[in-house]
Amino acid sequence: MNKHTHFSITYDKIKTGRSISGIQFYIDKKVAKNSLPYKENDSEYIKDKVQQEQEQQELFNKAVQNKYTTILGENLLIGFRDMQDVTKMANLQKQVYPLYDELKKLRGMNGVKDHVSYVANHKNGAESQLQNIVKYLKRSIEQYLQIVKIQNID
């Protein structure tokens, strides 16, 4: 199984005295290799990777200073650890905050605060420990913007 699956299986014998009374199995997922050795010496690949990291750092810096981050924190949708996660904060800045800007144009800052408060109060029990807060917030604001736009037409 170790050879033909993506699991690493080991075991320990549990002894009572001199005899074996049980077996404890340990199953771990094998870690995939991330390095691509043929790209390690490719100057274009390295240059592009450095540029992506710089862009992500700039998005992170903007997100940390953004007023929407404060609102999300006040409503306990993001926490201290989330604010230290460069990728998560950069994705909020890139994917969610522009949609909040759009809502702000339509309903003002109080409209954004009301929406975030609503989302915080109505998240399901399973979603209370959200693995991907960015995806959840993006989906909720996209759905809400559709409703707001329809209401504005009427």
Side-chain angles (χ1 to χ4, degrees):
M1 288 184 20
N2 286 340
K3 186 176 181 181
H4 298 290
T5 66
H6 60 282
F7 294 108
S8 173
I9 301 170
T10 57
Y11 66 93
D12 284 333
K13 299 173 192 169
I14 301 171
K15 291 188 173 186
T16 305
R18 299 179 95 199
S19 62
I20 297 173
S21 62
I23 300 174
Q24 175 73 46
F25 288 94
Y26 302 96
I27 301 173
D28 295 313
K29 197 171 188 177
K30 291 179 184 174
V31 178
K33 283 189 174 182
N34 288 338
S35 70
L36 302 171
Y38 66 93
K39 290 188 175 184
E40 289 176 355
N41 296 325
D42 184 359
S43 62
E44 287 298 316
Y45 171 76
I46 294 170
K47 183 179 174 183
D48 186 48
K49 189 173 180 179
V50 168
Q51 183 180 357
Q52 286 176 353
E53 288 172 359
Q54 287 174 343
E55 288 173 5
Q56 192 171 34
Q57 187 64 44
E58 288 174 18
L59 287 170
F60 170 79
N61 293 340
K62 288 180 182 178
V64 168
Q65 298 172 5
N66 198 306
K67 58 193 168 279
Y68 302 135
T69 301
T70 305
I71 296 169
L72 292 173
E74 290 171 347
N75 286 279
L76 303 177
L77 286 168
I78 60 172
F80 181 71
R81 288 211 168 129
D82 295 321
M83 291 185 64
Q84 292 179 324
D85 186 333
V86 174
T87 303
K88 189 175 289 183
M89 294 305 294
N91 285 336
L92 280 170
Q93 180 66 37
K94 186 176 181 179
Q95 298 176 26
V96 178
Y97 293 174
L99 297 172
Y100 285 167
D101 285 336
E102 191 175 337
L103 178 60
K104 182 181 172 189
K105 288 178 187 173
L106 297 170
R107 294 282 167 96
M109 193 59 161
N110 285 334
V112 175
K113 289 179 182 178
D114 291 343
H115 170 70
V116 171
S117 177
Y118 177 86
V119 170
N121 291 328
H122 289 86
K123 59 185 178 177
N124 296 341
E127 294 169 334
S128 65
Q129 298 178 5
L130 295 170
Q131 294 295 322
N132 193 342
I133 188 69
V134 176
K135 184 177 177 180
Y136 179 74
L137 291 172
K138 182 179 178 192
R139 187 171 26 127
S140 67
I141 187 63
E142 285 173 340
Q143 291 171 353
Y144 185 64
L145 279 172
Q146 290 175 355
I147 293 168
V148 169
K149 288 176 183 176
I150 291 170
Q151 288 174 346
N152 285 354
I153 291 173
D154 295 339

